[in-house]
mmCIF file of all heavy atoms in Angstrom:
data_model
loop_
_atom_site.group_PDB
_atom_site.id
_atom_site.type_symbol
_atom_site.label_atom_id
_atom_site.label_comp_id
_atom_site.label_asym_id
_atom_site.label_seq_id
_atom_site.Cartn_x
_atom_site.Cartn_y
_atom_site.Cartn_z
ATOM 1 N N MET A 2 6.707 5.017 -2.166
ATOM 2 C CA MET A 2 5.753 4.964 -1.072
ATOM 3 C C MET A 2 4.621 5.937 -1.382
ATOM 4 O O MET A 2 4.848 7.097 -1.676
ATOM 5 C CB MET A 2 6.491 5.381 0.208
ATOM 6 C CG MET A 2 5.659 5.114 1.434
ATOM 7 S SD MET A 2 6.399 5.596 2.984
ATOM 8 C CE MET A 2 7.784 4.521 3.135
ATOM 9 N N ASN A 3 3.393 5.419 -1.339
ATOM 10 C CA ASN A 3 2.273 6.298 -1.647
ATOM 11 C C ASN A 3 1.771 7.012 -0.400
ATOM 12 O O ASN A 3 2.175 6.743 0.724
ATOM 13 C CB ASN A 3 1.148 5.494 -2.317
ATOM 14 C CG ASN A 3 0.570 4.440 -1.413
ATOM 15 O OD1 ASN A 3 0.722 4.492 -0.215
ATOM 16 N ND2 ASN A 3 -0.091 3.480 -1.991
ATOM 17 N N LEU A 4 0.887 7.959 -0.615
ATOM 18 C CA LEU A 4 0.399 8.798 0.479
ATOM 19 C C LEU A 4 -0.347 7.980 1.536
ATOM 20 O O LEU A 4 -0.206 8.256 2.736
ATOM 21 C CB LEU A 4 -0.514 9.881 -0.088
ATOM 22 C CG LEU A 4 -1.083 10.871 0.936
ATOM 23 C CD1 LEU A 4 0.066 11.618 1.620
ATOM 24 C CD2 LEU A 4 -2.016 11.838 0.254
ATOM 25 N N GLN A 5 -1.099 6.989 1.154
ATOM 26 C CA GLN A 5 -1.856 6.169 2.112
ATOM 27 C C GLN A 5 -0.898 5.444 3.053
ATOM 28 O O GLN A 5 -1.167 5.342 4.232
ATOM 29 C CB GLN A 5 -2.767 5.162 1.376
ATOM 30 C CG GLN A 5 -3.657 4.396 2.315
ATOM 31 C CD GLN A 5 -4.632 5.279 3.056
ATOM 32 O OE1 GLN A 5 -5.174 6.229 2.493
ATOM 33 N NE2 GLN A 5 -4.847 4.999 4.314
ATOM 34 N N THR A 6 0.210 4.941 2.536
ATOM 35 C CA THR A 6 1.197 4.264 3.391
ATOM 36 C C THR A 6 1.780 5.240 4.389
ATOM 37 O O THR A 6 1.947 4.897 5.558
ATOM 38 C CB THR A 6 2.290 3.635 2.516
ATOM 39 O OG1 THR A 6 1.700 2.764 1.571
ATOM 40 C CG2 THR A 6 3.281 2.885 3.355
ATOM 41 N N VAL A 7 2.105 6.429 3.940
ATOM 42 C CA VAL A 7 2.678 7.455 4.829
ATOM 43 C C VAL A 7 1.654 7.784 5.931
ATOM 44 O O VAL A 7 2.033 7.880 7.130
ATOM 45 C CB VAL A 7 3.065 8.718 4.045
ATOM 46 C CG1 VAL A 7 3.459 9.840 4.984
ATOM 47 C CG2 VAL A 7 4.188 8.404 3.068
ATOM 48 N N VAL A 8 0.405 7.932 5.589
ATOM 49 C CA VAL A 8 -0.651 8.241 6.558
ATOM 50 C C VAL A 8 -0.768 7.103 7.553
ATOM 51 O O VAL A 8 -0.878 7.340 8.768
ATOM 52 C CB VAL A 8 -1.989 8.526 5.865
ATOM 53 C CG1 VAL A 8 -3.125 8.597 6.856
ATOM 54 C CG2 VAL A 8 -1.889 9.789 5.056
ATOM 55 N N ASN A 9 -0.761 5.856 7.095
ATOM 56 C CA ASN A 9 -0.881 4.718 7.996
ATOM 57 C C ASN A 9 0.299 4.632 8.976
ATOM 58 O O ASN A 9 0.099 4.390 10.159
ATOM 59 C CB ASN A 9 -0.972 3.414 7.183
ATOM 60 C CG ASN A 9 -2.301 3.259 6.531
ATOM 61 O OD1 ASN A 9 -3.258 3.910 6.880
ATOM 62 N ND2 ASN A 9 -2.342 2.389 5.531
ATOM 63 N N VAL A 10 1.494 4.863 8.472
ATOM 64 C CA VAL A 10 2.675 4.800 9.353
ATOM 65 C C VAL A 10 2.625 5.944 10.360
ATOM 66 O O VAL A 10 2.898 5.744 11.559
ATOM 67 C CB VAL A 10 3.974 4.840 8.526
ATOM 68 C CG1 VAL A 10 5.185 5.029 9.403
ATOM 69 C CG2 VAL A 10 4.086 3.583 7.705
ATOM 70 N N ALA A 11 2.282 7.156 9.932
ATOM 71 C CA ALA A 11 2.208 8.286 10.865
ATOM 72 C C ALA A 11 1.143 8.040 11.929
ATOM 73 O O ALA A 11 1.363 8.345 13.101
ATOM 74 C CB ALA A 11 1.920 9.562 10.087
ATOM 75 N N THR A 12 0.007 7.507 11.526
ATOM 76 C CA THR A 12 -1.043 7.202 12.498
ATOM 77 C C THR A 12 -0.597 6.151 13.519
ATOM 78 O O THR A 12 -0.865 6.270 14.706
ATOM 79 C CB THR A 12 -2.320 6.706 11.783
ATOM 80 O OG1 THR A 12 -2.730 7.698 10.839
ATOM 81 C CG2 THR A 12 -3.436 6.404 12.734
ATOM 82 N N ALA A 13 0.109 5.149 13.033
ATOM 83 C CA ALA A 13 0.598 4.109 13.935
ATOM 84 C C ALA A 13 1.617 4.678 14.937
ATOM 85 O O ALA A 13 1.588 4.303 16.120
ATOM 86 C CB ALA A 13 1.221 2.969 13.121
ATOM 87 N N VAL A 14 2.474 5.561 14.468
ATOM 88 C CA VAL A 14 3.476 6.174 15.364
ATOM 89 C C VAL A 14 2.798 7.007 16.427
ATOM 90 O O VAL A 14 3.133 6.963 17.613
ATOM 91 C CB VAL A 14 4.517 6.977 14.570
ATOM 92 C CG1 VAL A 14 5.382 7.812 15.457
ATOM 93 C CG2 VAL A 14 5.363 6.029 13.728
ATOM 94 N N LEU A 15 1.824 7.811 16.022
ATOM 95 C CA LEU A 15 1.072 8.635 16.984
ATOM 96 C C LEU A 15 0.306 7.772 17.972
ATOM 97 O O LEU A 15 0.281 8.079 19.178
ATOM 98 C CB LEU A 15 0.108 9.574 16.253
ATOM 99 C CG LEU A 15 0.762 10.726 15.504
ATOM 100 C CD1 LEU A 15 -0.267 11.479 14.681
ATOM 101 C CD2 LEU A 15 1.469 11.651 16.476
ATOM 102 N N ALA A 16 -0.278 6.699 17.511
ATOM 103 C CA ALA A 16 -1.003 5.778 18.393
ATOM 104 C C ALA A 16 -0.055 5.135 19.373
ATOM 105 O O ALA A 16 -0.398 4.918 20.558
ATOM 106 C CB ALA A 16 -1.738 4.741 17.598
ATOM 107 N N ALA A 17 1.161 4.832 18.955
ATOM 108 C CA ALA A 17 2.175 4.257 19.847
ATOM 109 C C ALA A 17 2.517 5.221 20.978
ATOM 110 O O ALA A 17 2.672 4.820 22.131
ATOM 111 C CB ALA A 17 3.413 3.874 19.078
ATOM 112 N N ARG A 18 2.586 6.488 20.654
ATOM 113 C CA ARG A 18 2.887 7.503 21.675
ATOM 114 C C ARG A 18 1.728 7.625 22.657
ATOM 115 O O ARG A 18 1.908 7.795 23.845
ATOM 116 C CB ARG A 18 3.133 8.865 21.021
ATOM 117 C CG ARG A 18 4.374 8.955 20.223
ATOM 118 C CD ARG A 18 5.596 9.157 21.057
ATOM 119 N NE ARG A 18 5.498 10.393 21.797
ATOM 120 C CZ ARG A 18 6.415 10.830 22.602
ATOM 121 N NH1 ARG A 18 7.514 10.148 22.760
ATOM 122 N NH2 ARG A 18 6.284 11.966 23.245
ATOM 123 N N VAL A 19 0.504 7.533 22.158
ATOM 124 C CA VAL A 19 -0.671 7.741 23.013
ATOM 125 C C VAL A 19 -1.030 6.481 23.792
ATOM 126 O O VAL A 19 -1.280 6.536 24.988
ATOM 127 C CB VAL A 19 -1.876 8.216 22.159
ATOM 128 C CG1 VAL A 19 -3.132 8.277 22.982
ATOM 129 C CG2 VAL A 19 -1.574 9.547 21.542
ATOM 130 N N PHE A 20 -1.066 5.337 23.143
ATOM 131 C CA PHE A 20 -1.564 4.125 23.752
ATOM 132 C C PHE A 20 -0.490 3.163 24.237
ATOM 133 O O PHE A 20 -0.812 2.163 24.859
ATOM 134 C CB PHE A 20 -2.496 3.376 22.786
ATOM 135 C CG PHE A 20 -3.706 4.169 22.429
ATOM 136 C CD1 PHE A 20 -3.845 4.652 21.126
ATOM 137 C CD2 PHE A 20 -4.673 4.472 23.338
ATOM 138 C CE1 PHE A 20 -4.956 5.384 20.768
ATOM 139 C CE2 PHE A 20 -5.789 5.204 23.000
ATOM 140 C CZ PHE A 20 -5.939 5.655 21.720
ATOM 141 N N GLY A 21 0.770 3.441 23.955
ATOM 142 C CA GLY A 21 1.849 2.590 24.445
ATOM 143 C C GLY A 21 1.947 1.250 23.725
ATOM 144 O O GLY A 21 1.872 1.179 22.489
ATOM 145 N N SER A 22 2.082 0.183 24.501
ATOM 146 C CA SER A 22 2.395 -1.129 23.916
ATOM 147 C C SER A 22 1.268 -1.693 23.053
ATOM 148 O O SER A 22 1.498 -2.543 22.222
ATOM 149 C CB SER A 22 2.753 -2.107 25.044
ATOM 150 O OG SER A 22 1.620 -2.297 25.869
ATOM 151 N N ASP A 23 0.032 -1.249 23.275
ATOM 152 C CA ASP A 23 -1.065 -1.765 22.456
ATOM 153 C C ASP A 23 -0.921 -1.336 21.007
ATOM 154 O O ASP A 23 -1.429 -1.996 20.095
ATOM 155 C CB ASP A 23 -2.412 -1.250 22.973
ATOM 156 C CG ASP A 23 -2.809 -1.869 24.309
ATOM 157 O OD1 ASP A 23 -2.276 -2.964 24.597
ATOM 158 O OD2 ASP A 23 -3.592 -1.260 25.008
ATOM 159 N N ALA A 24 -0.231 -0.253 20.760
ATOM 160 C CA ALA A 24 -0.078 0.238 19.386
ATOM 161 C C ALA A 24 1.018 -0.486 18.630
ATOM 162 O O ALA A 24 1.165 -0.285 17.420
ATOM 163 C CB ALA A 24 0.211 1.744 19.442
ATOM 164 N N ILE A 25 1.800 -1.316 19.309
ATOM 165 C CA ILE A 25 2.841 -2.084 18.621
ATOM 166 C C ILE A 25 2.234 -2.913 17.488
ATOM 167 O O ILE A 25 2.816 -3.079 16.430
ATOM 168 C CB ILE A 25 3.606 -2.966 19.623
ATOM 169 C CG1 ILE A 25 4.319 -2.087 20.651
ATOM 170 C CG2 ILE A 25 4.589 -3.882 18.913
ATOM 171 C CD1 ILE A 25 5.350 -1.164 20.069
ATOM 172 N N ALA A 26 1.019 -3.454 17.747
ATOM 173 C CA ALA A 26 0.343 -4.245 16.705
ATOM 174 C C ALA A 26 0.076 -3.387 15.479
ATOM 175 O O ALA A 26 0.192 -3.862 14.342
ATOM 176 C CB ALA A 26 -0.956 -4.837 17.241
ATOM 177 N N LEU A 27 -0.287 -2.128 15.660
ATOM 178 C CA LEU A 27 -0.511 -1.218 14.529
ATOM 179 C C LEU A 27 0.778 -0.994 13.749
ATOM 180 O O LEU A 27 0.767 -0.952 12.510
ATOM 181 C CB LEU A 27 -1.066 0.123 15.004
ATOM 182 C CG LEU A 27 -2.474 0.093 15.545
ATOM 183 C CD1 LEU A 27 -2.838 1.490 16.087
ATOM 184 C CD2 LEU A 27 -3.459 -0.330 14.490
ATOM 185 N N LEU A 28 1.889 -0.835 14.463
ATOM 186 C CA LEU A 28 3.164 -0.653 13.761
ATOM 187 C C LEU A 28 3.534 -1.893 12.964
ATOM 188 O O LEU A 28 4.027 -1.782 11.842
ATOM 189 C CB LEU A 28 4.261 -0.339 14.795
ATOM 190 C CG LEU A 28 4.167 1.003 15.452
ATOM 191 C CD1 LEU A 28 5.197 1.128 16.583
ATOM 192 C CD2 LEU A 28 4.365 2.124 14.453
ATOM 193 N N ARG A 29 3.269 -3.073 13.519
ATOM 194 C CA ARG A 29 3.547 -4.304 12.790
ATOM 195 C C ARG A 29 2.709 -4.399 11.555
ATOM 196 O O ARG A 29 3.150 -4.834 10.484
ATOM 197 C CB ARG A 29 3.321 -5.503 13.686
ATOM 198 C CG ARG A 29 4.389 -5.667 14.721
ATOM 199 C CD ARG A 29 4.145 -6.902 15.552
ATOM 200 N NE ARG A 29 5.168 -7.024 16.560
ATOM 201 C CZ ARG A 29 5.063 -7.749 17.659
ATOM 202 N NH1 ARG A 29 3.947 -8.401 17.901
ATOM 203 N NH2 ARG A 29 6.033 -7.794 18.529
ATOM 204 N N ARG A 30 1.449 -3.981 11.664
ATOM 205 C CA ARG A 30 0.545 -4.002 10.494
ATOM 206 C C ARG A 30 1.039 -3.082 9.411
ATOM 207 O O ARG A 30 0.994 -3.389 8.220
ATOM 208 C CB ARG A 30 -0.849 -3.595 10.907
ATOM 209 C CG ARG A 30 -1.828 -4.710 10.990
ATOM 210 C CD ARG A 30 -3.159 -4.203 11.343
ATOM 211 N NE ARG A 30 -4.033 -4.292 10.195
ATOM 212 C CZ ARG A 30 -5.351 -4.230 10.293
ATOM 213 N NH1 ARG A 30 -5.914 -4.054 11.430
ATOM 214 N NH2 ARG A 30 -6.077 -4.337 9.222
ATOM 215 N N ALA A 31 1.492 -1.910 9.819
ATOM 216 C CA ALA A 31 2.009 -0.942 8.826
ATOM 217 C C ALA A 31 3.237 -1.505 8.131
ATOM 218 O O ALA A 31 3.405 -1.345 6.922
ATOM 219 C CB ALA A 31 2.328 0.386 9.506
ATOM 220 N N ALA A 32 4.112 -2.135 8.900
ATOM 221 C CA ALA A 32 5.311 -2.723 8.288
ATOM 222 C C ALA A 32 4.949 -3.844 7.337
ATOM 223 O O ALA A 32 5.493 -3.966 6.227
ATOM 224 C CB ALA A 32 6.248 -3.258 9.383
ATOM 225 N N ALA A 33 3.990 -4.672 7.730
ATOM 226 C CA ALA A 33 3.533 -5.778 6.873
ATOM 227 C C ALA A 33 2.911 -5.234 5.579
ATOM 228 O O ALA A 33 3.130 -5.819 4.492
ATOM 229 C CB ALA A 33 2.555 -6.665 7.605
ATOM 230 N N MET A 34 2.165 -4.137 5.701
ATOM 231 C CA MET A 34 1.577 -3.555 4.491
ATOM 232 C C MET A 34 2.667 -3.026 3.551
ATOM 233 O O MET A 34 2.571 -3.201 2.338
ATOM 234 C CB MET A 34 0.653 -2.414 4.892
ATOM 235 C CG MET A 34 -0.101 -1.863 3.691
ATOM 236 S SD MET A 34 -1.137 -0.450 4.091
ATOM 237 C CE MET A 34 0.124 0.766 4.410
ATOM 238 N N GLY A 35 3.706 -2.444 4.116
ATOM 239 C CA GLY A 35 4.818 -1.987 3.287
ATOM 240 C C GLY A 35 5.482 -3.104 2.540
ATOM 241 O O GLY A 35 5.854 -2.988 1.375
ATOM 242 N N VAL A 36 5.639 -4.235 3.234
ATOM 243 C CA VAL A 36 6.235 -5.417 2.581
ATOM 244 C C VAL A 36 5.335 -5.904 1.453
ATOM 245 O O VAL A 36 5.813 -6.219 0.344
ATOM 246 C CB VAL A 36 6.501 -6.528 3.611
ATOM 247 C CG1 VAL A 36 6.869 -7.813 2.930
ATOM 248 C CG2 VAL A 36 7.617 -6.087 4.577
ATOM 249 N N ARG A 37 4.018 -5.966 1.726
ATOM 250 C CA ARG A 37 3.082 -6.427 0.706
ATOM 251 C C ARG A 37 3.119 -5.510 -0.536
ATOM 252 O O ARG A 37 3.060 -5.992 -1.648
ATOM 253 C CB ARG A 37 1.656 -6.484 1.269
ATOM 254 C CG ARG A 37 1.401 -7.766 1.980
ATOM 255 C CD ARG A 37 -0.042 -7.866 2.397
ATOM 256 N NE ARG A 37 -0.044 -7.672 3.854
ATOM 257 C CZ ARG A 37 -0.825 -6.862 4.529
ATOM 258 N NH1 ARG A 37 -1.740 -6.165 3.912
ATOM 259 N NH2 ARG A 37 -0.732 -6.754 5.809
ATOM 260 N N VAL A 38 3.204 -4.226 -0.305
ATOM 261 C CA VAL A 38 3.270 -3.266 -1.422
ATOM 262 C C VAL A 38 4.527 -3.549 -2.260
ATOM 263 O O VAL A 38 4.464 -3.567 -3.482
ATOM 264 C CB VAL A 38 3.214 -1.830 -0.915
ATOM 265 C CG1 VAL A 38 3.589 -0.845 -2.010
ATOM 266 C CG2 VAL A 38 1.855 -1.497 -0.371
ATOM 267 N N GLY A 39 5.652 -3.732 -1.574
ATOM 268 C CA GLY A 39 6.904 -4.014 -2.300
ATOM 269 C C GLY A 39 6.844 -5.290 -3.101
ATOM 270 O O GLY A 39 7.276 -5.344 -4.247
ATOM 271 N N VAL A 40 6.297 -6.319 -2.477
ATOM 272 C CA VAL A 40 6.199 -7.631 -3.167
ATOM 273 C C VAL A 40 5.277 -7.513 -4.377
ATOM 274 O O VAL A 40 5.563 -8.058 -5.442
ATOM 275 C CB VAL A 40 5.753 -8.719 -2.200
ATOM 276 C CG1 VAL A 40 5.386 -9.993 -2.925
ATOM 277 C CG2 VAL A 40 6.823 -8.980 -1.163
ATOM 278 N N SER A 41 4.157 -6.827 -4.219
ATOM 279 C CA SER A 41 3.244 -6.701 -5.361
ATOM 280 C C SER A 41 3.887 -5.909 -6.497
ATOM 281 O O SER A 41 3.646 -6.207 -7.662
ATOM 282 C CB SER A 41 1.923 -6.069 -4.920
ATOM 283 O OG SER A 41 2.109 -4.700 -4.569
ATOM 284 N N GLU A 42 4.704 -4.904 -6.160
ATOM 285 C CA GLU A 42 5.434 -4.181 -7.196
ATOM 286 C C GLU A 42 6.411 -5.087 -7.911
ATOM 287 O O GLU A 42 6.553 -5.007 -9.143
ATOM 288 C CB GLU A 42 6.171 -2.985 -6.584
ATOM 289 C CG GLU A 42 5.257 -1.830 -6.226
ATOM 290 C CD GLU A 42 4.666 -1.165 -7.430
ATOM 291 O OE1 GLU A 42 5.362 -0.989 -8.467
ATOM 292 O OE2 GLU A 42 3.476 -0.832 -7.368
ATOM 293 N N LEU A 43 7.096 -5.942 -7.174
ATOM 294 C CA LEU A 43 8.022 -6.870 -7.819
ATOM 295 C C LEU A 43 7.298 -7.826 -8.755
ATOM 296 O O LEU A 43 7.741 -8.078 -9.864
ATOM 297 C CB LEU A 43 8.775 -7.655 -6.754
ATOM 298 C CG LEU A 43 9.845 -6.917 -5.957
ATOM 299 C CD1 LEU A 43 10.373 -7.784 -4.849
ATOM 300 C CD2 LEU A 43 10.973 -6.481 -6.871
ATOM 301 N N HIS A 44 6.158 -8.348 -8.294
ATOM 302 C CA HIS A 44 5.403 -9.269 -9.140
ATOM 303 C C HIS A 44 4.854 -8.550 -10.368
ATOM 304 O O HIS A 44 4.859 -9.125 -11.465
ATOM 305 C CB HIS A 44 4.224 -9.874 -8.341
ATOM 306 C CG HIS A 44 4.654 -10.936 -7.400
ATOM 307 N ND1 HIS A 44 5.107 -12.165 -7.801
ATOM 308 C CD2 HIS A 44 4.703 -10.939 -6.041
ATOM 309 C CE1 HIS A 44 5.418 -12.883 -6.745
ATOM 310 N NE2 HIS A 44 5.179 -12.157 -5.647
ATOM 311 N N ARG A 45 4.403 -7.329 -10.200
ATOM 312 C CA ARG A 45 3.849 -6.587 -11.326
ATOM 313 C C ARG A 45 4.918 -6.319 -12.388
ATOM 314 O O ARG A 45 4.687 -6.498 -13.569
ATOM 315 C CB ARG A 45 3.291 -5.257 -10.842
ATOM 316 C CG ARG A 45 2.411 -4.580 -11.868
ATOM 317 C CD ARG A 45 1.776 -3.324 -11.383
ATOM 318 N NE ARG A 45 1.441 -3.375 -9.970
ATOM 319 C CZ ARG A 45 1.101 -2.322 -9.262
ATOM 320 N NH1 ARG A 45 1.116 -1.136 -9.820
ATOM 321 N NH2 ARG A 45 0.782 -2.414 -7.998
ATOM 322 N N SER A 46 6.117 -5.936 -11.960
ATOM 323 C CA SER A 46 7.162 -5.663 -12.951
ATOM 324 C C SER A 46 7.661 -6.964 -13.608
ATOM 325 O O SER A 46 8.019 -6.988 -14.773
ATOM 326 C CB SER A 46 8.342 -4.920 -12.317
ATOM 327 O OG SER A 46 9.050 -5.755 -11.422
ATOM 328 N N HIS A 47 7.640 -8.058 -12.844
ATOM 329 C CA HIS A 47 8.053 -9.362 -13.379
ATOM 330 C C HIS A 47 7.035 -9.837 -14.452
ATOM 331 O O HIS A 47 7.425 -10.385 -15.463
ATOM 332 C CB HIS A 47 8.176 -10.375 -12.268
ATOM 333 C CG HIS A 47 8.601 -11.734 -12.743
ATOM 334 N ND1 HIS A 47 9.838 -11.959 -13.267
ATOM 335 C CD2 HIS A 47 7.947 -12.910 -12.794
ATOM 336 C CE1 HIS A 47 9.933 -13.215 -13.614
ATOM 337 N NE2 HIS A 47 8.801 -13.821 -13.341
ATOM 338 N N GLN A 48 5.749 -9.609 -14.193
ATOM 339 C CA GLN A 48 4.723 -10.055 -15.160
ATOM 340 C C GLN A 48 4.789 -9.228 -16.439
ATOM 341 O O GLN A 48 4.442 -9.705 -17.516
ATOM 342 C CB GLN A 48 3.339 -9.917 -14.515
ATOM 343 C CG GLN A 48 3.084 -10.971 -13.463
ATOM 344 C CD GLN A 48 1.746 -10.744 -12.765
ATOM 345 O OE1 GLN A 48 1.096 -9.735 -12.978
ATOM 346 N NE2 GLN A 48 1.350 -11.696 -11.948
ATOM 347 N N ARG A 49 5.221 -7.987 -16.343
ATOM 348 C CA ARG A 49 5.332 -7.126 -17.530
ATOM 349 C C ARG A 49 6.554 -7.475 -18.350
ATOM 350 O O ARG A 49 6.739 -6.954 -19.456
ATOM 351 C CB ARG A 49 5.406 -5.673 -17.109
ATOM 352 C CG ARG A 49 4.066 -5.090 -16.791
ATOM 353 C CD ARG A 49 4.183 -3.602 -16.667
ATOM 354 N NE ARG A 49 3.558 -3.209 -15.406
ATOM 355 C CZ ARG A 49 3.955 -2.225 -14.655
ATOM 356 N NH1 ARG A 49 4.972 -1.477 -15.006
ATOM 357 N NH2 ARG A 49 3.323 -1.951 -13.561
ATOM 358 N N GLY A 50 7.459 -8.246 -17.796
ATOM 359 C CA GLY A 50 8.607 -8.670 -18.620
ATOM 360 C C GLY A 50 9.915 -7.989 -18.285
ATOM 361 O O GLY A 50 10.752 -7.839 -19.148
ATOM 362 N N GLY A 51 10.100 -7.573 -17.067
ATOM 363 C CA GLY A 51 11.420 -7.050 -16.694
ATOM 364 C C GLY A 51 11.374 -5.832 -15.837
ATOM 365 O O GLY A 51 10.367 -5.439 -15.313
ATOM 366 N N GLU A 52 12.555 -5.230 -15.771
ATOM 367 C CA GLU A 52 12.738 -4.046 -14.907
ATOM 368 C C GLU A 52 12.138 -2.810 -15.607
ATOM 369 O O GLU A 52 12.022 -2.738 -16.804
ATOM 370 C CB GLU A 52 14.236 -3.823 -14.686
ATOM 371 C CG GLU A 52 14.935 -5.020 -14.103
ATOM 372 C CD GLU A 52 15.086 -4.870 -12.624
ATOM 373 O OE1 GLU A 52 15.132 -3.759 -12.119
ATOM 374 O OE2 GLU A 52 15.137 -5.915 -11.950
ATOM 375 N N ARG A 53 11.852 -1.830 -14.762
ATOM 376 C CA ARG A 53 11.359 -0.571 -15.312
ATOM 377 C C ARG A 53 12.486 0.343 -15.612
ATOM 378 O O ARG A 53 13.465 0.468 -14.989
ATOM 379 C CB ARG A 53 10.442 0.138 -14.328
ATOM 380 C CG ARG A 53 9.137 -0.555 -14.198
ATOM 381 C CD ARG A 53 8.220 0.335 -13.430
ATOM 382 N NE ARG A 53 7.632 -0.410 -12.376
ATOM 383 C CZ ARG A 53 6.865 0.093 -11.471
ATOM 384 N NH1 ARG A 53 6.589 1.354 -11.460
ATOM 385 N NH2 ARG A 53 6.322 -0.638 -10.557
#
C-alpha cells in the first residue's frame, strides 16, 4: 500500500466522521481504488512472466 492510498483512506474516514452518510461514497471510492491497485499489480507481474 503506497502513501497516497493511505492518505486517501484516512481522508475518507475523517470525512465520514464529519459529513456522515455523504462520505460513504468517498469510502467506496477508496476501496475501489485499492482494488484497482491490486489488479494492476497482478497484471504487471503476469506480464513480466511470473511471481516476484
Side-chain angles (χ1 to χ4, degrees):
M2 191 181 294
N3 63 19
L4 182 60
Q5 186 63 39
T6 304
V7 172
V8 170
N9 288 341
V10 170
T12 302
V14 169
L15 288 173
R18 292 280 298 181
V19 173
F20 297 112
S22 63
D23 291 337
I25 297 297
L27 290 176
L28 290 172
R29 287 182 181 160
R30 254 182 110 163
M34 187 184 69
V36 169
R37 276 186 252 132
V38 167
V40 169
S41 68
E42 285 293 320
L43 287 173
H44 284 291
R45 194 177 325 166
S46 69
H47 180 68
Q48 287 175 353
R49 280 192 231 147
E52 304 263 332
R53 288 192 231 175

